[in-house]
Amino acid sequence: MSGPTYLAYDYPLLSVFWSMLVFFLWIMWFVLLFRIVVDIFRDDRMSGWAKAGWLVFTIVLPFLGVFVYVIARGKNMGRREAAQARAQQEAFASYVRETAKSGDDRPSSVDELAKLSEIRGRGDITDEEFRRAKDLVLSGHGPSERAGGTASGS
């Protein structure tokens, strides 16, 4: 080990600052490169050959390819990303609406018990029929199984 040994105090504070700046710029460069690659594949108006050309250009000549892409197509990158986020939000909202709507088809046991109580209060069913229907509702059986003439009022 005949080479010079560098210790932490041999590396000046300004050099630490410049090293960190270069490191973070390097990380930002890769983030920008990956965002551009994602944007190339996201654009539906671009043909397959154009996508292949831009991809080769950004991989073979990364600095020049990224700068040219940002200058030529960077204005619409944000619009495409916002449109995709909006589409994902609408798809999620549609899924939630459909799921909530399908859950409304079957009334809850509280609603069924309230209806049974109202029917009993009008005198349409006896206390024994009410008790059997209430047991069916609380056991989790559906309305079709408990409708065997007891809750229909006939």
Side-chain angles (χ1 to χ4, degrees):
M1 298 207 86
S2 61
T5 303
Y6 292 106
L7 300 174
Y9 60 82
D10 290 334
Y11 199 66
L13 184 62
L14 189 59
S15 294
V16 170
F17 172 74
W18 285 114
S19 297
M20 289 175 57
L21 181 68
V22 168
F23 177 73
F24 286 117
L25 287 175
W26 184 68
I27 296 295
M28 285 177 38
W29 173 256
F30 277 109
V31 168
L32 181 62
L33 180 66
F34 290 134
R35 285 191 59 162
I36 286 175
V37 170
V38 167
D39 187 64
I40 288 171
F41 287 109
R42 177 183 295 148
D43 192 3
D44 293 333
R45 291 178 287 155
M46 198 180 342
S47 71
W49 287 106
K51 289 179 183 183
W54 276 112
L55 194 60
V56 166
F57 189 39
T58 56
I59 290 175
V60 172
L61 298 171
F63 290 109
L64 184 62
V66 167
F67 288 134
V68 170
Y69 188 87
V70 168
I71 291 169
R73 308 202 66 221
K75 182 178 180 181
N76 293 325
M77 280 178 67
R79 291 182 186 145
R80 283 188 289 275
E81 188 171 347
Q84 184 204 18
R86 202 173 310 113
Q88 284 179 340
Q89 180 65 31
E90 288 172 6
F92 178 73
S94 173
Y95 170 75
V96 168
R97 279 192 299 273
E98 290 298 318
T99 304
K101 187 188 304 180
S102 68
D104 291 341
D105 293 343
R106 190 172 150 250
S108 70
S109 59
V110 173
D111 295 334
E112 291 180 9
L113 288 174
K115 288 178 185 176
L116 279 173
S117 178
E118 180 184 329
I119 292 171
R120 185 183 65 168
R122 287 192 315 240
D124 292 340
I125 59 173
T126 66
D127 288 338
E128 179 61 27
E129 290 173 330
F130 174 77
R131 188 189 57 75
R132 280 186 288 159
K134 181 178 80 167
D135 290 341
L136 283 174
V137 168
L138 293 177
S139 68
H141 288 77
S144 63
E145 293 180 22
R146 102 180 126 74
T150 60
S152 63
S154 46

